[in-house]
Amino acid sequence: MSGSRLMKAIRVSEFGAPSVLRLSSDVAVPQPGLRQVLIRVHACGVNPVETYIRAGTYARKPALPYTPGMDVAGVVDTVGEGVTAVKAGDRVFTTATESGGYAEYTVAADDCVHKLPDALDFAQGAAIGIPYFTAYRALVHKAHAKAGETVLIHGASGGVGVAACQLSRALGLKVFGTAGTPEGMKLVLNNGAHLAFNHREASYTDKIMEATEGRGIDVIVEMLSNVNLSKDLQMLAYGGRVMVVGSRGSVEINPRDTMAKESSIVGVVLFFATTEEKKECAALLHSGMESGWLRPVVGSRYPLDKAAQAHHDLIESPGAAGKIVLTM
């Protein structure tokens, strides 16, 4: 009977350190309900937000025990009632799941499931969801970036950073990226940035300003606001805006820096995207996959039973290069 199938999945029974991510081999395979899709998972992206949720420091806490993971790539196993966009056997990726993605099977709502073109493998498919949808929300829906403007991706070598570089280039922006290692800078240049800067150098902000001939940056996509926000405000052009995508603590800024440029600081959270906004983003990303500019960069790959190590490395190893992915 199909209802009695068991699978391996990571289960979290208490909030805490990465060690709370434990592999269980007798979890029931979930069943797809109305407008839901059951996916055989081949790969699942590991996102910073999942480390905050696991630690118990995030605003929204899931009920315990739970399985983490949102960005899955795999093959449709079965579909629930009312699903028409995908069918059993289709290669797909998700932007969210109902039952958690660090597992051999997951259930997702059909409006969060998108077809994965053959040109991308499953590990790349698992690197699309949150990074690319977040980059699009930041650049298009929140910053209203226009072709010809200059964008700085601050922390451009990680999952969202690479996505933002590729997307910015496709949108006709002048793209600057920062990274913390020579390999990271090379990665940034290979993925759409016109110029790359090392944010570990003391004078890197001066170099960025020189590259704009003193005019400043129109849009900054910021992954580590608690470190960079004050510097960001000083680098903006008139009417510039900082998109806060990530932060790991508080920061002191001088509000006069916003007055000097009539600049704005805007928070970005994918959770608040409307169905229409998600559809628009999915359509643009799909065209990016077809035309070839959307090419997720996969960094380290870990088997499912090494999820705790993946969480540890995501937070502790600076100089990210591409997206961390769990493979099944």
Side-chain angles (χ1 to χ4, degrees):
M1 192 179 109
S2 67
S4 60
R5 285 196 295 174
L6 298 178
M7 66 173 183
K8 290 179 182 163
I10 295 292
R11 300 295 279 163
V12 176
S13 302
E14 59 181 320
F15 297 111
S19 58
V20 303
L21 297 168
R22 296 199 178 96
L23 184 70
S24 175
S25 55
D26 57 357
V27 179
V29 172
Q31 296 301 299
L34 180 69
R35 305 212 53 185
Q36 289 184 333
V37 180
L38 177 64
I39 299 164
R40 171 74 174 91
V41 179
H42 286 255
C44 184
V46 178
N47 290 295
V49 67
E50 288 144 30
T51 69
Y52 310 146
I53 294 168
R54 180 217 74 229
T57 59
Y58 197 63
R60 290 185 299 279
K61 290 187 181 66
L64 297 167
Y66 76 99
T67 294
M70 308 177 219
D71 291 348
V72 159
V75 175
V76 175
D77 183 272
T78 49
V79 298
E81 201 185 324
V83 175
T84 54
V86 294
K87 63 185 186 307
D90 284 351
R91 300 170 85 249
V92 294
F93 72 94
T94 68
T95 53
T97 72
E98 302 291 322
S99 59
Y102 296 11
E104 292 180 313
Y105 290 87
T106 192
V107 161
D110 66 347
D111 63 351
C112 300
V113 178
H114 306 279
K115 286 190 180 170
L116 180 66
D118 291 338
L120 299 179
D121 65 26
F122 290 118
Q124 289 175 305
I128 298 170
I130 285 181
Y132 284 84
F133 279 72
T134 299
Y136 188 87
R137 183 163 187 76
L139 289 162
V140 178
H141 287 143
K142 294 295 169 189
H144 309 293
K146 304 271 187 294
E149 286 191 314
T150 301
V151 62
L152 170 67
I153 319 294
H154 216 160
S157 62
V160 177
V162 167
C165 285
Q166 292 176 1
L167 182 58
S168 296
R169 187 65 179 251
L171 293 171
L173 299 164
K174 179 147 197 201
V175 189
F176 295 176
T178 75
T181 63
E183 303 79 51
M185 289 168 69
K186 194 172 162 188
L187 181 78
V188 169
L189 290 170
N190 285 342
N191 283 283
H194 294 90
L195 294 171
F197 303 87
N198 187 334
H199 53 218
R200 293 185 197 285
E201 285 180 11
S203 61
Y204 82 96
T205 56
D206 298 335
K207 290 183 178 171
I208 290 172
M209 289 304 288
E210 277 167 35
T212 70
E213 295 172 344
R215 196 186 145 268
I217 303 284
D218 297 301
V219 176
I220 298 178
V221 179
E222 182 53 70
M223 312 302 164
L224 198 59
S225 313
N226 54 302
V227 172
N228 300 322
L229 188 56
S230 180
K231 290 190 197 94
D232 289 343
L233 292 174
Q234 291 161 32
M235 285 192 283
L236 288 175
Y238 175 78
R241 44 268 188 227
V242 180
M243 300 294 118
V244 176
V245 169
S247 188
R248 292 189 188 163
S250 55
V251 61
E252 189 170 302
I253 63 165
N254 185 344
R256 279 184 180 274
D257 290 337
T258 66
M259 295 162 68
K261 309 276 178 57
E262 289 201 326
S263 59
S264 45
I265 302 166
V266 181
V268 180
V269 180
L270 186 55
F271 180 79
F272 295 115
T274 64
T275 304
E276 287 71 32
E277 286 172 330
K278 288 183 204 161
K279 272 189 180 153
E280 176 196 317
C281 178
L284 185 98
L285 296 182
H286 191 76
S287 89
M289 294 176 219
E290 287 183 329
S291 55
W293 62 255
L294 196 162
R295 303 180 312 278
V297 176
V298 176
S300 307
R301 301 172 193 230
Y302 299 77
L304 185 59
D305 62 357
K306 294 285 188 287
Q309 188 65 44
H311 271 222
H312 173 271
D313 294 351
L314 180 64
I315 296 301
E316 299 302 327
S317 314
K323 182 85 192 141
I324 289 182
V325 169
L326 300 175
T327 55
M328 313 304 155

PDB file of all heavy atoms in Angstrom, residues 52-86:
ATOM      1  N   TYR A  52      18.925  29.957  10.621  1.00  0.00           N
ATOM      2  CA  TYR A  52      18.322  30.804  11.659  1.00  0.00           C
ATOM      3  C   TYR A  52      17.104  30.110  12.265  1.00  0.00           C
ATOM      4  O   TYR A  52      16.888  30.161  13.481  1.00  0.00           O
ATOM      5  CB  TYR A  52      17.889  32.165  11.091  1.00  0.00           C
ATOM      6  CG  TYR A  52      18.938  32.905  10.292  1.00  0.00           C
ATOM      7  CD1 TYR A  52      18.584  33.702   9.205  1.00  0.00           C
ATOM      8  CD2 TYR A  52      20.297  32.812  10.603  1.00  0.00           C
ATOM      9  CE1 TYR A  52      19.542  34.381   8.456  1.00  0.00           C
ATOM     10  CE2 TYR A  52      21.261  33.486   9.865  1.00  0.00           C
ATOM     11  CZ  TYR A  52      20.871  34.264   8.785  1.00  0.00           C
ATOM     12  OH  TYR A  52      21.807  34.930   8.043  1.00  0.00           O
ATOM     13  N   ILE A  53      16.282  29.488  11.413  1.00  0.00           N
ATOM     14  CA  ILE A  53      15.098  28.773  11.908  1.00  0.00           C
ATOM     15  C   ILE A  53      15.524  27.633  12.832  1.00  0.00           C
ATOM     16  O   ILE A  53      14.977  27.455  13.924  1.00  0.00           O
ATOM     17  CB  ILE A  53      14.252  28.237  10.724  1.00  0.00           C
ATOM     18  CG1 ILE A  53      13.659  29.402   9.922  1.00  0.00           C
ATOM     19  CG2 ILE A  53      13.134  27.324  11.228  1.00  0.00           C
ATOM     20  CD1 ILE A  53      13.051  28.996   8.582  1.00  0.00           C
ATOM     21  N   ARG A  54      16.527  26.865  12.389  1.00  0.00           N
ATOM     22  CA  ARG A  54      17.021  25.739  13.193  1.00  0.00           C
ATOM     23  C   ARG A  54      17.549  26.201  14.547  1.00  0.00           C
ATOM     24  O   ARG A  54      17.362  25.543  15.579  1.00  0.00           O
ATOM     25  CB  ARG A  54      18.146  25.025  12.418  1.00  0.00           C
ATOM     26  CG  ARG A  54      18.754  23.834  13.112  1.00  0.00           C
ATOM     27  CD  ARG A  54      20.255  23.770  12.848  1.00  0.00           C
ATOM     28  NE  ARG A  54      21.003  24.761  13.584  1.00  0.00           N
ATOM     29  CZ  ARG A  54      21.911  25.575  13.067  1.00  0.00           C
ATOM     30  NH1 ARG A  54      22.217  25.542  11.787  1.00  0.00           N
ATOM     31  NH2 ARG A  54      22.531  26.457  13.845  1.00  0.00           N
ATOM     32  N   ALA A  55      18.203  27.356  14.572  1.00  0.00           N
ATOM     33  CA  ALA A  55      18.768  27.879  15.825  1.00  0.00           C
ATOM     34  C   ALA A  55      17.678  28.430  16.749  1.00  0.00           C
ATOM     35  O   ALA A  55      17.922  28.655  17.929  1.00  0.00           O
ATOM     36  CB  ALA A  55      19.792  28.962  15.511  1.00  0.00           C
ATOM     37  N   GLY A  56      16.484  28.665  16.185  1.00  0.00           N
ATOM     38  CA  GLY A  56      15.397  29.219  16.986  1.00  0.00           C
ATOM     39  C   GLY A  56      15.437  30.728  17.093  1.00  0.00           C
ATOM     40  O   GLY A  56      14.734  31.317  17.913  1.00  0.00           O
ATOM     41  N   THR A  57      16.263  31.382  16.247  1.00  0.00           N
ATOM     42  CA  THR A  57      16.414  32.837  16.327  1.00  0.00           C
ATOM     43  C   THR A  57      15.572  33.575  15.297  1.00  0.00           C
ATOM     44  O   THR A  57      15.584  34.799  15.254  1.00  0.00           O
ATOM     45  CB  THR A  57      17.890  33.236  16.118  1.00  0.00           C
ATOM     46  OG1 THR A  57      18.327  32.756  14.837  1.00  0.00           O
ATOM     47  CG2 THR A  57      18.777  32.644  17.197  1.00  0.00           C
ATOM     48  N   TYR A  58      14.845  32.840  14.446  1.00  0.00           N
ATOM     49  CA  TYR A  58      14.067  33.473  13.379  1.00  0.00           C
ATOM     50  C   TYR A  58      12.684  33.861  13.890  1.00  0.00           C
ATOM     51  O   TYR A  58      12.157  33.246  14.820  1.00  0.00           O
ATOM     52  CB  TYR A  58      13.955  32.502  12.192  1.00  0.00           C
ATOM     53  CG  TYR A  58      13.541  33.153  10.897  1.00  0.00           C
ATOM     54  CD1 TYR A  58      14.358  34.123  10.302  1.00  0.00           C
ATOM     55  CD2 TYR A  58      12.349  32.818  10.257  1.00  0.00           C
ATOM     56  CE1 TYR A  58      14.007  34.725   9.115  1.00  0.00           C
ATOM     57  CE2 TYR A  58      11.984  33.419   9.060  1.00  0.00           C
ATOM     58  CZ  TYR A  58      12.816  34.378   8.498  1.00  0.00           C
ATOM     59  OH  TYR A  58      12.457  34.966   7.315  1.00  0.00           O
ATOM     60  N   ALA A  59      12.090  34.886  13.263  1.00  0.00           N
ATOM     61  CA  ALA A  59      10.783  35.403  13.715  1.00  0.00           C
ATOM     62  C   ALA A  59       9.698  34.329  13.686  1.00  0.00           C
ATOM     63  O   ALA A  59       8.875  34.247  14.591  1.00  0.00           O
ATOM     64  CB  ALA A  59      10.379  36.595  12.850  1.00  0.00           C
ATOM     65  N   ARG A  60       9.705  33.503  12.628  1.00  0.00           N
ATOM     66  CA  ARG A  60       8.683  32.446  12.534  1.00  0.00           C
ATOM     67  C   ARG A  60       9.312  31.100  12.882  1.00  0.00           C
ATOM     68  O   ARG A  60      10.295  30.694  12.270  1.00  0.00           O
ATOM     69  CB  ARG A  60       8.111  32.391  11.108  1.00  0.00           C
ATOM     70  CG  ARG A  60       7.247  33.588  10.773  1.00  0.00           C
ATOM     71  CD  ARG A  60       6.613  33.430   9.397  1.00  0.00           C
ATOM     72  NE  ARG A  60       7.597  33.323   8.342  1.00  0.00           N
ATOM     73  CZ  ARG A  60       8.224  34.355   7.796  1.00  0.00           C
ATOM     74  NH1 ARG A  60       7.987  35.575   8.222  1.00  0.00           N
ATOM     75  NH2 ARG A  60       9.099  34.169   6.831  1.00  0.00           N
ATOM     76  N   LYS A  61       8.724  30.430  13.861  1.00  0.00           N
ATOM     77  CA  LYS A  61       9.247  29.122  14.261  1.00  0.00           C
ATOM     78  C   LYS A  61       8.260  28.029  13.864  1.00  0.00           C
ATOM     79  O   LYS A  61       7.074  28.121  14.191  1.00  0.00           O
ATOM     80  CB  LYS A  61       9.451  29.066  15.780  1.00  0.00           C
ATOM     81  CG  LYS A  61      10.597  29.919  16.294  1.00  0.00           C
ATOM     82  CD  LYS A  61      10.809  29.653  17.782  1.00  0.00           C
ATOM     83  CE  LYS A  61      11.916  30.495  18.365  1.00  0.00           C
ATOM     84  NZ  LYS A  61      11.600  31.937  18.370  1.00  0.00           N
ATOM     85  N   PRO A  62       8.738  26.982  13.186  1.00  0.00           N
ATOM     86  CA  PRO A  62       7.842  25.862  12.865  1.00  0.00           C
ATOM     87  C   PRO A  62       7.542  25.043  14.117  1.00  0.00           C
ATOM     88  O   PRO A  62       8.299  25.093  15.094  1.00  0.00           O
ATOM     89  CB  PRO A  62       8.660  25.033  11.869  1.00  0.00           C
ATOM     90  CG  PRO A  62      10.093  25.352  12.190  1.00  0.00           C
ATOM     91  CD  PRO A  62      10.115  26.756  12.707  1.00  0.00           C
ATOM     92  N   ALA A  63       6.436  24.304  14.076  1.00  0.00           N
ATOM     93  CA  ALA A  63       6.126  23.391  15.182  1.00  0.00           C
ATOM     94  C   ALA A  63       7.114  22.230  15.138  1.00  0.00           C
ATOM     95  O   ALA A  63       7.457  21.730  14.066  1.00  0.00           O
ATOM     96  CB  ALA A  63       4.694  22.881  15.029  1.00  0.00           C
ATOM     97  N   LEU A  64       7.599  21.822  16.300  1.00  0.00           N
ATOM     98  CA  LEU A  64       8.545  20.696  16.386  1.00  0.00           C
ATOM     99  C   LEU A  64       7.771  19.380  16.457  1.00  0.00           C
ATOM    100  O   LEU A  64       6.671  19.354  17.006  1.00  0.00           O
ATOM    101  CB  LEU A  64       9.411  20.851  17.646  1.00  0.00           C
ATOM    102  CG  LEU A  64      10.316  22.085  17.685  1.00  0.00           C
ATOM    103  CD1 LEU A  64      10.873  22.299  19.078  1.00  0.00           C
ATOM    104  CD2 LEU A  64      11.462  21.942  16.686  1.00  0.00           C
ATOM    105  N   PRO A  65       8.320  18.271  15.967  1.00  0.00           N
ATOM    106  CA  PRO A  65       9.528  18.202  15.138  1.00  0.00           C
ATOM    107  C   PRO A  65       9.212  18.610  13.700  1.00  0.00           C
ATOM    108  O   PRO A  65       8.057  18.549  13.282  1.00  0.00           O
ATOM    109  CB  PRO A  65       9.900  16.717  15.208  1.00  0.00           C
ATOM    110  CG  PRO A  65       8.581  16.016  15.366  1.00  0.00           C
ATOM    111  CD  PRO A  65       7.720  16.935  16.179  1.00  0.00           C
ATOM    112  N   TYR A  66      10.228  19.039  12.977  1.00  0.00           N
ATOM    113  CA  TYR A  66       9.995  19.419  11.584  1.00  0.00           C
ATOM    114  C   TYR A  66      11.197  19.013  10.732  1.00  0.00           C
ATOM    115  O   TYR A  66      12.279  18.727  11.246  1.00  0.00           O
ATOM    116  CB  TYR A  66       9.743  20.927  11.462  1.00  0.00           C
ATOM    117  CG  TYR A  66      10.996  21.783  11.574  1.00  0.00           C
ATOM    118  CD1 TYR A  66      11.637  22.263  10.433  1.00  0.00           C
ATOM    119  CD2 TYR A  66      11.551  22.106  12.816  1.00  0.00           C
ATOM    120  CE1 TYR A  66      12.791  23.035  10.528  1.00  0.00           C
ATOM    121  CE2 TYR A  66      12.698  22.872  12.921  1.00  0.00           C
ATOM    122  CZ  TYR A  66      13.317  23.343  11.771  1.00  0.00           C
ATOM    123  OH  TYR A  66      14.457  24.089  11.864  1.00  0.00           O
ATOM    124  N   THR A  67      10.986  18.998   9.405  1.00  0.00           N
ATOM    125  CA  THR A  67      12.053  18.764   8.431  1.00  0.00           C
ATOM    126  C   THR A  67      12.330  20.081   7.716  1.00  0.00           C
ATOM    127  O   THR A  67      11.400  20.680   7.163  1.00  0.00           O
ATOM    128  CB  THR A  67      11.619  17.699   7.403  1.00  0.00           C
ATOM    129  OG1 THR A  67      11.468  16.444   8.067  1.00  0.00           O
ATOM    130  CG2 THR A  67      12.658  17.540   6.297  1.00  0.00           C
ATOM    131  N   PRO A  68      13.585  20.577   7.741  1.00  0.00           N
ATOM    132  CA  PRO A  68      13.894  21.843   7.058  1.00  0.00           C
ATOM    133  C   PRO A  68      13.912  21.674   5.539  1.00  0.00           C
ATOM    134  O   PRO A  68      13.840  20.556   5.019  1.00  0.00           O
ATOM    135  CB  PRO A  68      15.296  22.193   7.564  1.00  0.00           C
ATOM    136  CG  PRO A  68      15.681  21.153   8.547  1.00  0.00           C
ATOM    137  CD  PRO A  68      14.763  19.994   8.380  1.00  0.00           C
ATOM    138  N   GLY A  69      14.061  22.789   4.854  1.00  0.00           N
ATOM    139  CA  GLY A  69      14.321  22.756   3.418  1.00  0.00           C
ATOM    140  C   GLY A  69      13.171  23.208   2.554  1.00  0.00           C
ATOM    141  O   GLY A  69      12.043  22.761   2.727  1.00  0.00           O
ATOM    142  N   MET A  70      13.463  24.106   1.619  1.00  0.00           N
ATOM    143  CA  MET A  70      12.454  24.689   0.737  1.00  0.00           C
ATOM    144  C   MET A  70      12.779  24.500  -0.733  1.00  0.00           C
ATOM    145  O   MET A  70      11.886  24.313  -1.547  1.00  0.00           O
ATOM    146  CB  MET A  70      12.343  26.191   1.020  1.00  0.00           C
ATOM    147  CG  MET A  70      12.118  26.507   2.499  1.00  0.00           C
ATOM    148  SD  MET A  70      12.091  28.283   2.802  1.00  0.00           S
ATOM    149  CE  MET A  70      12.960  28.344   4.353  1.00  0.00           C
ATOM    150  N   ASP A  71      14.069  24.594  -1.067  1.00  0.00           N
ATOM    151  CA  ASP A  71      14.496  24.590  -2.476  1.00  0.00           C
ATOM    152  C   ASP A  71      14.877  23.192  -2.933  1.00  0.00           C
ATOM    153  O   ASP A  71      16.028  22.771  -2.815  1.00  0.00           O
ATOM    154  CB  ASP A  71      15.702  25.518  -2.666  1.00  0.00           C
ATOM    155  CG  ASP A  71      15.352  26.981  -2.493  1.00  0.00           C
ATOM    156  OD1 ASP A  71      14.156  27.285  -2.446  1.00  0.00           O
ATOM    157  OD2 ASP A  71      16.274  27.806  -2.414  1.00  0.00           O
ATOM    158  N   VAL A  72      13.901  22.493  -3.473  1.00  0.00           N
ATOM    159  CA  VAL A  72      14.103  21.111  -3.892  1.00  0.00           C
ATOM    160  C   VAL A  72      14.160  21.022  -5.409  1.00  0.00           C
ATOM    161  O   VAL A  72      13.480  21.773  -6.099  1.00  0.00           O
ATOM    162  CB  VAL A  72      12.930  20.251  -3.356  1.00  0.00           C
ATOM    163  CG1 VAL A  72      12.777  18.965  -4.137  1.00  0.00           C
ATOM    164  CG2 VAL A  72      13.116  19.971  -1.877  1.00  0.00           C
ATOM    165  N   ALA A  73      14.957  20.092  -5.921  1.00  0.00           N
ATOM    166  CA  ALA A  73      14.863  19.720  -7.337  1.00  0.00           C
ATOM    167  C   ALA A  73      14.735  18.209  -7.399  1.00  0.00           C
ATOM    168  O   ALA A  73      15.376  17.486  -6.629  1.00  0.00           O
ATOM    169  CB  ALA A  73      16.086  20.186  -8.110  1.00  0.00           C
ATOM    170  N   GLY A  74      13.871  17.735  -8.288  1.00  0.00           N
ATOM    171  CA  GLY A  74      13.662  16.294  -8.398  1.00  0.00           C
ATOM    172  C   GLY A  74      12.650  15.977  -9.470  1.00  0.00           C
ATOM    173  O   GLY A  74      12.465  16.752 -10.425  1.00  0.00           O
ATOM    174  N   VAL A  75      11.985  14.839  -9.305  1.00  0.00           N
ATOM    175  CA  VAL A  75      11.037  14.348 -10.305  1.00  0.00           C
ATOM    176  C   VAL A  75       9.671  14.167  -9.640  1.00  0.00           C
ATOM    177  O   VAL A  75       9.583  13.639  -8.529  1.00  0.00           O
ATOM    178  CB  VAL A  75      11.535  13.008 -10.896  1.00  0.00           C
ATOM    179  CG1 VAL A  75      10.504  12.416 -11.846  1.00  0.00           C
ATOM    180  CG2 VAL A  75      12.868  13.218 -11.620  1.00  0.00           C
ATOM    181  N   VAL A  76       8.626  14.610 -10.322  1.00  0.00           N
ATOM    182  CA  VAL A  76       7.274  14.453  -9.785  1.00  0.00           C
ATOM    183  C   VAL A  76       6.951  12.967  -9.664  1.00  0.00           C
ATOM    184  O   VAL A  76       7.088  12.202 -10.614  1.00  0.00           O
ATOM    185  CB  VAL A  76       6.234  15.144 -10.689  1.00  0.00           C
ATOM    186  CG1 VAL A  76       4.815  14.863 -10.188  1.00  0.00           C
ATOM    187  CG2 VAL A  76       6.488  16.649 -10.741  1.00  0.00           C
ATOM    188  N   ASP A  77       6.547  12.547  -8.452  1.00  0.00           N
ATOM    189  CA  ASP A  77       6.167  11.163  -8.177  1.00  0.00           C
ATOM    190  C   ASP A  77       4.669  10.993  -8.456  1.00  0.00           C
ATOM    191  O   ASP A  77       4.265  10.207  -9.298  1.00  0.00           O
ATOM    192  CB  ASP A  77       6.504  10.823  -6.728  1.00  0.00           C
ATOM    193  CG  ASP A  77       6.205   9.375  -6.370  1.00  0.00           C
ATOM    194  OD1 ASP A  77       5.055   9.085  -5.960  1.00  0.00           O
ATOM    195  OD2 ASP A  77       7.110   8.542  -6.507  1.00  0.00           O
ATOM    196  N   THR A  78       3.855  11.758  -7.748  1.00  0.00           N
ATOM    197  CA  THR A  78       2.401  11.757  -7.973  1.00  0.00           C
ATOM    198  C   THR A  78       1.877  13.162  -7.737  1.00  0.00           C
ATOM    199  O   THR A  78       2.537  13.972  -7.076  1.00  0.00           O
ATOM    200  CB  THR A  78       1.666  10.803  -6.997  1.00  0.00           C
ATOM    201  OG1 THR A  78       2.130  11.059  -5.661  1.00  0.00           O
ATOM    202  CG2 THR A  78       1.905   9.352  -7.322  1.00  0.00           C
ATOM    203  N   VAL A  79       0.693  13.448  -8.281  1.00  0.00           N
ATOM    204  CA  VAL A  79       0.076  14.753  -8.058  1.00  0.00           C
ATOM    205  C   VAL A  79      -1.272  14.569  -7.381  1.00  0.00           C
ATOM    206  O   VAL A  79      -1.955  13.562  -7.581  1.00  0.00           O
ATOM    207  CB  VAL A  79      -0.091  15.549  -9.376  1.00  0.00           C
ATOM    208  CG1 VAL A  79       1.252  15.833 -10.009  1.00  0.00           C
ATOM    209  CG2 VAL A  79      -1.007  14.823 -10.350  1.00  0.00           C
ATOM    210  N   GLY A  80      -1.630  15.562  -6.564  1.00  0.00           N
ATOM    211  CA  GLY A  80      -2.933  15.546  -5.912  1.00  0.00           C
ATOM    212  C   GLY A  80      -4.007  16.073  -6.848  1.00  0.00           C
ATOM    213  O   GLY A  80      -3.737  16.483  -7.983  1.00  0.00           O
ATOM    214  N   GLU A  81      -5.214  16.082  -6.346  1.00  0.00           N
ATOM    215  CA  GLU A  81      -6.364  16.546  -7.120  1.00  0.00           C
ATOM    216  C   GLU A  81      -6.192  18.019  -7.530  1.00  0.00           C
ATOM    217  O   GLU A  81      -5.682  18.822  -6.759  1.00  0.00           O
ATOM    218  CB  GLU A  81      -7.620  16.411  -6.237  1.00  0.00           C
ATOM    219  CG  GLU A  81      -8.936  16.358  -6.987  1.00  0.00           C
ATOM    220  CD  GLU A  81     -10.113  16.355  -6.012  1.00  0.00           C
ATOM    221  OE1 GLU A  81      -9.969  15.739  -4.935  1.00  0.00           O
ATOM    222  OE2 GLU A  81     -11.124  16.986  -6.332  1.00  0.00           O
ATOM    223  N   GLY A  82      -6.577  18.331  -8.756  1.00  0.00           N
ATOM    224  CA  GLY A  82      -6.570  19.720  -9.202  1.00  0.00           C
ATOM    225  C   GLY A  82      -5.254  20.221  -9.755  1.00  0.00           C
ATOM    226  O   GLY A  82      -5.138  21.381 -10.144  1.00  0.00           O
ATOM    227  N   VAL A  83      -4.227  19.360  -9.803  1.00  0.00           N
ATOM    228  CA  VAL A  83      -2.922  19.786 -10.334  1.00  0.00           C
ATOM    229  C   VAL A  83      -2.887  19.552 -11.841  1.00  0.00           C
ATOM    230  O   VAL A  83      -3.115  18.429 -12.301  1.00  0.00           O
ATOM    231  CB  VAL A  83      -1.764  19.014  -9.664  1.00  0.00           C
ATOM    232  CG1 VAL A  83      -0.429  19.387 -10.307  1.00  0.00           C
ATOM    233  CG2 VAL A  83      -1.732  19.297  -8.166  1.00  0.00           C
ATOM    234  N   THR A  84      -2.611  20.620 -12.608  1.00  0.00           N
ATOM    235  CA  THR A  84      -2.579  20.487 -14.069  1.00  0.00           C
ATOM    236  C   THR A  84      -1.247  20.921 -14.677  1.00  0.00           C
ATOM    237  O   THR A  84      -0.908  20.527 -15.784  1.00  0.00           O
ATOM    238  CB  THR A  84      -3.695  21.340 -14.712  1.00  0.00           C
ATOM    239  OG1 THR A  84      -3.567  22.688 -14.241  1.00  0.00           O
ATOM    240  CG2 THR A  84      -5.077  20.811 -14.347  1.00  0.00           C
ATOM    241  N   ALA A  85      -0.479  21.734 -13.950  1.00  0.00           N
ATOM    242  CA  ALA A  85       0.738  22.320 -14.534  1.00  0.00           C
ATOM    243  C   ALA A  85       1.863  21.307 -14.690  1.00  0.00           C
ATOM    244  O   ALA A  85       2.698  21.424 -15.584  1.00  0.00           O
ATOM    245  CB  ALA A  85       1.204  23.501 -13.692  1.00  0.00           C
ATOM    246  N   VAL A  86       1.903  20.292 -13.796  1.00  0.00           N
ATOM    247  CA  VAL A  86       2.956  19.269 -13.891  1.00  0.00           C
ATOM    248  C   VAL A  86       2.323  17.888 -13.745  1.00  0.00           C
ATOM    249  O   VAL A  86       1.207  17.759 -13.252  1.00  0.00           O
ATOM    250  CB  VAL A  86       4.037  19.455 -12.796  1.00  0.00           C
ATOM    251  CG1 VAL A  86       4.803  20.752 -12.992  1.00  0.00           C
ATOM    252  CG2 VAL A  86       3.438  19.392 -11.395  1.00  0.00           C
TER     253      VAL A  86
END
